[in-house]
Amino acid sequence: MADISAELAGIKFETCVFNAAGPKDVTLDELEVIAKSSSSAITMKSCTLEPRQGNPEPRYYDLPEGSINSMGLPNLGYKEYIRFTHLLKSKYKKPIVASISGLKFEDNITIFNAFNESNTDIIEFNPGSPNTIGKPTMGYDFEYLDNSLREIAKVCKKPLGIKLPPYFDFVHFEQVAEIIKRHKVLYICSINSIGNALVVDPERESVVIKPKGGFGGLGGKYIKYTSLANVRKFYELLGDRVQLVGCGGVYSGTDAFEFILAGATAIQLGTVYMQEGPSCFKRIQNELMAYMKNKGYESIEDFRGQLKTID
Ligand code: DHB
């Protein structure tokens, strides 16, 4: 059996495959489903200062090869997720990943401070949601990103990762990598959904989700190549200074293998978990192990980052 364990942000993960923040991770019941599955961690929904209902429904729609959503950060408010870390830790052995997506700069500071007293193993700062009505995607405002990370790093006593939106321009990757280097960020998770896509149902002559006139974040197979490019470009720029987590369009063990080749230490499952449910974790872990065995690789460090280019 190939060893697909990983160490992320200094925390041991039994396998490198776990759930992405977002899908079915809002309530304690949903988190317990993840805890009981083969997901190697329990990632919780991005939280805000106050509980939120989120955007009006329909706000998620399955597509033949992915999904579009504009959930609008429905969550129970950060205090509940701090409470959940204690409950989950007392029952399950897995690492817990909290995700923080405060709507304002000061909210993030308050929430990060409070999470120091939680039982989370890792905190993922999420400045990448494209779906909050009336708010720009914070991960595209580099000054805001730099200032936020500076203040967050001052207060946060937990291992810190960041979930970034997709970038499409090499200069932007360079600018973001410089910001990341300045702060105590242990990993980058790339990517958040590709913001503000539009799905049209020609039969109904209509959009498929209600918020924002139908615009929403694209996920699934449509975004895999953008996710791979983001992981690879950050790996080229940051090497092993900052770890990488691949997220976006992983549906199989071979997809996971591709992300590790590009430089990822771990893989998060989003849309595939929405569509397949908790069996996706074991299936993809098994497929990854089988693919590695065929190749003669014993651990993910045997090939991580070793993607070949063509001379
Ligand atoms: C939501 C969507 C995201 O892509 C994200 O990173 C956080 C929240 C949402 O709409 O709930």
Side-chain angles (χ1 to χ4, degrees), residues 24 28 48 81 84 100 145 150 174 176 188 202 213 239 242 259 277:
K24 295 183 187 156
L28 186 59
T48 53
Y81 295 101
F84 292 170
I100 297 180
L145 195 61
R150 180 174 309 105
E174 286 161 20
V176 173
I188 293 172
V242 179
F259 275 91

Side-chain angles (χ1 to χ4, degrees), residues 45-46 69-74 126 129-131 192-193:
K45 176 71 181 171
S46 297
N69 86 84
S70 183
M71 305 299 287
L73 274 166
N126 178 13
S129 169
N131 297 334
N192 211 306
S193 56

